[in-house]
Amino acid sequence: MFDLHLPSQTLRLDPPIVMGVVNVTPDSFSDGGRFRDPDLAVAHGLSLAAQGAAIVDVGGESTRPGAEPVGVEEELRRVLRVIDGLVARHIVVSVDTRHAPVAQRALDHGASIINDISGLRDPAMRSLAARAGVPVVIMHMPNDDPATMQQFARYGDVVADVVGALRRQIATAQAAGVEQIIVDPGIGFGKTTAHNLALIRRLDEIAALGRPVMVGVSRKRFIGQITGDDEPSGRLAGTLAANLAAVARGAHIIRVHEVAPHVHALRMWRALNE
Ligand code: HH2
């Protein structure tokens, strides 16, 4: 059983918890532009928390394949007011960033988890995470740049390769003094549909790393490829099925855009598995 030790409280990961997504970006693939206004973004985060999200993940940079990077100042301008608004209401906030200066300021403003899609590649991010002592999500991505990641979707055995890469990243982070490490296979990050399916099907092999496991499948393109839903907002049913499969194979945290349906599905799943 895992607990996350946050500055203000301890979060139990059994039963699995839901992380709600707030993208304060003009260009995210499924909700880009909806929450550019910080007040709307805060209201959305509060609503996700009221629906049962244990964590609200705030991001100011889209990482969809081919997305343009944003500067640190712009990323800060997007996320800080939103973090302030949520922290003032005692919501547990994670900051979705690959940039150490953004993570640092977010922590200063009360965020209590770092969600780094580049897996603490930057030594500055590692030392900051070690100093702060907060939980960190190490996500797998085959290169260090979302703009070109799909060119790197080449693996021997994708699950073994991702487990190996995460194991190395855990060791590097631990050597820098990071203790609370959550692992994430990086669904859709430099992966084909077949790779994504294999990673969910064999998520138990990621769980065998002995760390809490997070997955982010919500509304992603591989779901549309299977269900035929071209619009990301129409991919809820496929997302629910994928998340329940992930939870059945050991996921502790599911990162989703639509919280209430997942909270209800998890309750039902739990009742059936007691
Ligand atoms: N996926 C996205 C963003 N951050 N973080 C983790 N740990 N795992 C994920 O799978 C993950 C993530 C992409 O989804 P979204 O935030 O909806 O889109 P965008 O990157 O276009 O803002």
Side-chain angles (χ1 to χ4, degrees):
M1 165 147 14
F2 294 108
D3 289 334
L4 298 182
H5 300 286
L6 312 179
S8 61
Q9 61 177 286
T10 298
L11 260 191
R12 278 256 112 120
L13 298 183
D14 180 24
I17 61 169
V18 174
M19 171 189 278
V21 180
V22 176
N23 285 317
V24 200
T25 59
D27 56 348
S28 287
F29 78 97
S30 86
D31 55 0
R34 277 189 66 198
F35 308 114
R36 276 175 91 169
D37 171 349
D39 293 335
L40 284 183
V42 171
H44 185 59
L46 292 176
S47 153
L48 296 182
Q51 290 169 44
I55 304 169
V56 173
D57 192 40
V58 178
E61 178 189 46
S62 173
T63 49
R64 71 186 155 77
E68 286 297 318
V70 291
V72 161
E73 284 309 316
E74 173 63 14
E75 201 182 332
L76 281 169
R77 198 189 58 74
R78 292 179 185 175
V79 300
L80 286 185
R81 269 183 63 193
V82 180
I83 293 173
D84 287 342
L86 293 173
V87 168
R89 303 286 294 272
H90 308 290
I91 306 297
V92 174
V93 171
S94 61
V95 60
D96 185 349
T97 186
R98 0 180 224 139
H99 303 120
V102 176
Q104 179 65 67
R105 292 284 298 283
L107 295 180
D108 294 343
H109 281 246
S112 47
I113 299 172
I114 301 172
N115 176 22
D116 180 4
I117 59 143
S118 74
L120 301 193
R121 268 195 176 82
D122 178 359
M125 192 69 114
R126 292 199 288 275
S127 47
L128 140 68
R131 248 191 343 265
V134 294
V136 180
V137 182
I138 291 187
M139 195 197 79
H140 175 269
M141 187 160 69
N143 65 327
D144 62 359
D145 184 5
T148 55
M149 64 189 172
Q150 287 312 105
Q151 296 164 23
F152 293 82
R154 288 188 298 268
Y155 304 90
D157 173 339
V158 64
V159 182
D161 290 359
V162 168
V163 168
L166 287 173
R167 186 175 286 125
R168 286 190 294 278
Q169 281 170 303
I170 292 171
T172 309
Q174 273 184 315
V178 182
E179 284 174 6
Q180 300 195 66
I181 299 171
I182 300 160
V183 290
D184 183 329
I187 298 296
F189 285 84
K191 320 264 174 9
T192 63
T193 293
H195 295 144
N196 293 322
L197 293 176
L199 285 163
I200 297 169
R201 222 178 259 135
R202 292 166 56 196
L203 199 72
D204 52 325
E205 295 175 43
I206 310 270
L209 285 164
R211 301 283 171 171
V213 176
M214 171 164 143
V215 287
V217 304
S218 189
R219 296 177 169 175
K220 285 185 179 168
R221 194 166 41 147
F222 80 105
I223 292 179
Q225 280 182 346
I226 289 169
T227 61
D229 295 306
D230 290 338
E231 279 303 313
S233 60
R235 295 176 185 158
L236 173 60
T239 298
L240 276 167
N243 272 319
L244 285 185
V247 164
R249 291 161 175 81
H252 301 91
I253 306 174
I254 55 176
R255 180 183 183 277
V256 301
H257 298 88
E258 286 145 298
V259 168
H262 285 89
V263 168
H264 291 183
L266 281 180
R267 263 185 217 148
M268 195 66 216
W269 176 84
R270 202 176 158 208
L272 287 164
N273 285 284
E274 260 167 9

